[in-house]
Amino acid sequence: TAGVLRGERSRFQLFGDTMNTAARMEHTGERNRIQLTQTTADLVKEAGYGRWIVPRSNTIFVKGKGNMQTYWMKTTKPSTSKRKSTLSSIRSDIPLTIDETAETELSSDTQSVQSEDTNGLDDEFNLNLDTDVGGMTKTDRLVEWNVETMSSLLQHIIASRGGAVQPIDSLRDIEAAVGRGRTVLEEFEPIVHLKQLDAKELGERLDPSTIDIGEAARSQLRKFLSMIASLYQDNSFHNFEHASHVTASVKKLLSRIVKVGDGNGLDSQTSVEMVDHAGHSYGISSDPLTQCAVVFSAIIHDADHPGVPNAQLVKENTEKAQAYKNKSVAEQNSVDLAWQIFMQDEYKDLRACFYQTEEDLRRFRQLVVNTVMATDIVDKELQALRKKRWDAAFSGVFMYEPESVSLDRKATIVIEHLIQASDVAHTMQHWHIYQKWNERLFAEMSAAYKAGRLGFNPAEKWYQGEIGFYDHYIIPLAKKLKDCGVFGVASDEYLNYALENRQEWEEKGHAFVAQLTAKYMGDVEPEEEKTEPQPAKP
């Protein structure tokens, strides 16, 4: 099935079983090799060219179809000539897919191919990231995708204020004072107050597609994101690819925020539409700066992550643990490092796209602080505060307070749950994606254990730990996404995958852990169970 679908940018799209199968085969493909299904291989044989194909030595597992035999097409040695090292030169060869079932919308102008069976999440940036293409490294391509994502959001911000982008030299002293004298966690506010908008203001906004953020700002954005990428350490899990994967999930959830349509029902948005006429999303979809702040936070949230839990940093009494008073050490450090770079003079044109007033600057900073701090799900005080606010916002008990306060509380909670779900999005995606990221986390924690920086052997706790993680965090979190009432069908998708993966882990987890143990812990002697804390969440 094919057709041109309407949206913010109309585009030709393909749907159906063939696209589903092709997208899933892409995940198991290899560089410079052509993979064929049984049906295609049979056609090649019937045409008299059976000598051109060879069966794969192993079958591939396709969700919904089971194990499938595929074939390799024999080819000549590929050319080693390099293509131009620009994003445009690789787009035609490597579409940046959103998920395994091919919802490709990693940027507003990247080729989009969608299928019927989709959960709308990034499929591991499935473009052979371990190899250089067209002169661009994996990090180069991830940076470029983030540039496209942020540029689109900046267009919406500028359009929302009538196209104004004036120098912000008058804000320099205020910029220098923001966050001074307090830790990041001390800046945390239980409720972030979003911008109040009226119908007239919404109706007068410019068309974002007519906005050009300017070459200077775009160049600064690319340089800034490259700097952020360089802050990420060479961890198996907490790396820049993970940050980009989280960002893709954030973008997907923002794009699925529902609004009240012209009829009586709720329509799911197909693009990052910024207008929320009825306030159903508690103002989030009306304010592009809010959306941009959440995406910005996703990109920076694990910058300089050391590859060990906060508890270990506190135990080691590191300088950072002392500086942050043994609370949310990694998260606070990420915000501080990223913000210091963002505030440098060389990025002033970029900052002018984000904000033009002190009010917007302070709101942007508060959103970044709250969003990144929400990724610390271990801190008990923050946990208790979130539960208390959730009960106040969604328990159904009437509270005597201005409606604006109630809406801001709900918006703050929705943002927190959005980033938390995105931070563990791999647990609510297809099984093979969950396996991939689970292995990466196991590898990271195994390395920490071997280095004497983890108080327990992950191999001895991994299976039961995942069961507990699903039962006590992932599944309740997915249910809260649904209870928020703003994410439409996306919340069902997250919950369904969480339940399926939990069941599959119960059935296959022991064998999977055995494989991981042999691969990463084979040289480590097993030891008796210790009463240590459970592994920290990713």
Side-chain angles (χ1 to χ4, degrees):
T1 304
V4 177
L5 295 191
R6 297 173 60 190
E8 185 180 350
R9 295 195 178 187
S10 298
R11 56 197 181 277
F12 182 76
Q13 300 186 53
L14 300 175
F15 305 84
D17 183 71
T18 300
M19 294 307 302
N20 289 343
T21 301
R24 289 160 181 164
M25 286 175 64
E26 180 187 14
H27 179 76
T28 60
E30 295 180 10
R31 186 185 184 189
N32 294 325
R33 303 196 74 176
I34 301 171
Q35 186 176 197
L36 310 178
T37 62
Q38 182 71 60
T39 302
T40 305
D42 290 341
L43 292 173
V44 173
K45 292 176 183 178
E46 291 175 11
Y49 297 103
R51 65 186 182 279
W52 287 4
I53 62 176
V54 59
R56 286 189 63 146
S57 59
N58 61 308
T59 59
I60 65 171
F61 179 78
V62 178
K63 195 175 185 68
K65 290 179 176 289
N67 291 321
M68 181 167 57
Q69 176 67 61
T70 58
Y71 296 76
W72 295 121
M73 173 73 77
K74 295 180 182 179
T75 59
T76 57
K77 185 176 181 180
S79 169
T80 57
S81 60
K82 290 187 176 181
R83 287 167 284 178
K84 294 180 181 180
S85 57
T86 63
L87 179 66
S88 59
S89 69
I90 69 169
R91 278 181 177 160
S92 60
D93 298 314
I94 305 175
L96 304 177
T97 60
I98 282 276
D99 69 11
E100 173 186 306
T101 51
E103 179 178 334
T104 55
E105 198 175 289
L106 289 188
S107 66
S108 58
D109 58 348
T110 298
Q111 176 184 355
S112 178
V113 182
Q114 295 188 355
S115 72
E116 295 172 311
D117 176 22
T118 176
N119 72 340
L121 295 179
D122 183 330
D123 185 26
E124 314 312 292
F125 298 90
N126 231 353
L127 52 151
N128 291 326
L129 285 177
D130 293 331
T131 62
D132 292 355
V133 176
M136 298 182 75
T137 66
K138 172 174 70 174
T139 300
D140 290 337
R141 282 174 282 157
L142 290 175
V143 166
E144 203 62 34
W145 176 76
N146 282 289
V147 168
E148 295 295 320
T149 298
M150 290 296 298
S151 294
S152 176
L153 290 167
L154 290 175
Q155 286 178 291
H156 281 87
I157 291 176
I158 297 170
S160 73
R161 57 177 186 243
V165 183
Q166 301 296 328
I168 54 173
D169 296 336
S170 61
L171 296 178
R172 198 68 193 100
D173 290 342
I174 299 172
E175 288 179 323
V178 168
R180 182 186 297 172
R182 294 191 294 171
T183 66
V184 175
L185 187 57
E186 288 169 346
E187 294 182 62
F188 176 86
E189 292 289 345
I191 299 176
V192 179
H193 298 288
L194 302 190
K195 188 173 183 178
Q196 299 297 312
L197 302 165
D198 55 41
K200 182 175 183 294
E201 183 178 356
L202 293 172
E204 292 176 350
R205 288 183 174 180
L206 300 179
D207 179 356
S209 65
T210 66
I211 300 297
D212 182 3
I213 70 172
E215 185 54 38
R218 191 174 183 85
S219 177
Q220 291 173 22
L221 175 60
R222 181 174 289 105
K223 184 176 182 181
F224 171 72
L225 292 175
S226 296
M227 287 294 295
I228 295 300
S230 70
L231 289 178
Y232 279 84
Q233 298 188 29
D234 188 23
N235 300 318
S236 297
F237 185 96
H238 292 97
N239 50 41
F240 189 60
E241 186 179 350
H242 164 67
S244 299
H245 187 252
V246 173
T247 303
S249 174
V250 165
K251 183 184 175 186
K252 186 266 177 174
L253 285 173
L254 287 173
S255 73
R256 293 294 182 88
I257 286 179
V258 296
K259 64 177 182 179
V260 176
D262 295 331
N264 295 324
L266 293 174
D267 299 321
S268 175
Q269 295 176 249
T270 57
S271 61
V272 185
E273 174 62 52
M274 298 299 181
V275 179
D276 173 25
H277 297 289
H280 187 76
S281 70
Y282 314 120
I284 296 172
S285 61
S286 297
D287 183 16
L289 182 60
T290 295
Q291 296 208 14
C292 196
V294 179
V295 171
F296 181 96
S297 300
I299 295 171
I300 72 167
H301 81 283
D302 274 333
D304 196 40
H305 194 289
V308 298
N310 282 330
Q312 184 64 30
L313 301 177
V314 173
K315 180 179 179 180
E316 295 172 1
N317 196 31
T318 64
E319 290 185 8
K320 290 175 183 176
Q322 295 177 41
Y324 297 120
K325 304 177 182 178
N326 296 331
K327 304 279 287 184
S328 304
V329 180
E331 292 80 7
Q332 294 193 74
N333 180 57
S334 296
V335 173
D336 273 341
L337 290 178
W339 195 264
Q340 288 169 13
I341 295 172
F342 190 53
M343 287 295 114
Q344 292 176 2
D345 287 340
E346 59 187 303
Y347 301 113
K348 61 182 181 181
D349 295 312
L350 173 61
R351 295 198 303 277
C353 293
F354 280 82
Y355 51 80
Q356 291 275 287
T357 66
E358 178 181 352
E359 177 186 359
D360 284 349
L361 162 60
R362 293 191 181 279
R363 183 159 48 89
F364 177 72
R365 167 71 179 192
Q366 191 64 62
L367 284 162
V368 170
V369 168
N370 272 49
T371 304
V372 177
M373 288 303 99
T375 63
D376 182 0
I377 64 170
V378 177
D379 186 279
K380 293 183 179 180
E381 290 183 19
L382 289 176
Q383 284 180 355
L385 179 59
R386 292 184 193 115
K387 184 180 184 304
K388 181 178 179 181
R389 281 183 297 138
W390 174 273
D391 292 341
F394 295 104
S395 64
V397 177
F398 178 76
M399 299 183 67
Y400 292 93
E401 62 184 10
E403 183 182 11
S404 61
V405 174
S406 176
L407 290 176
D408 285 343
R409 179 187 292 107
K410 290 178 179 178
T412 303
I413 294 171
V414 167
I415 290 169
E416 288 179 350
H417 284 75
L418 185 155
I419 190 68
Q420 288 171 353
S422 297
D423 200 18
V424 292
H426 65 284
T427 66
M428 294 175 273
Q429 291 181 260
H430 292 290
W431 170 253
H432 72 270
I433 298 175
Y434 166 57
Q435 279 185 302
K436 174 181 176 179
W437 286 100
N438 187 270
E439 177 175 350
R440 289 184 175 188
L441 183 60
F442 186 93
E444 182 172 303
M445 299 188 75
S446 296
Y449 178 72
K450 290 179 180 180
R453 303 193 70 193
L454 194 65
F456 55 90
N457 183 339
E460 297 173 357
K461 295 178 177 289
W462 205 256
Y463 174 81
Q464 199 58 44
E466 287 298 289
I467 293 290
F469 194 41
Y470 267 105
D471 289 347
H472 301 297
Y473 183 71
I474 299 299
I475 292 174
L477 176 60
K479 289 180 178 179
K480 283 188 174 182
L481 286 182
K482 185 176 180 65
D483 292 342
C484 287
V486 300
F487 294 114
V489 296
S491 57
D492 292 320
E493 293 163 357
Y494 276 63
L495 178 57
N496 289 340
Y497 276 107
L499 293 171
E500 289 177 9
N501 285 339
R502 199 275 188 202
Q503 179 62 35
E504 203 148 3
W505 178 265
E506 188 171 354
E507 297 170 359
K508 301 177 180 178
H510 281 301
F512 185 57
V513 172
Q515 294 175 6
L516 298 183
T517 301
K519 184 175 181 179
Y520 297 102
M521 302 289 287
D523 56 345
V524 176
E525 291 292 330
E527 54 185 55
E528 296 182 2
E529 285 281 327
K530 299 178 181 179
T531 56
E532 294 283 347
Q534 289 293 314
K537 64 96 196 178

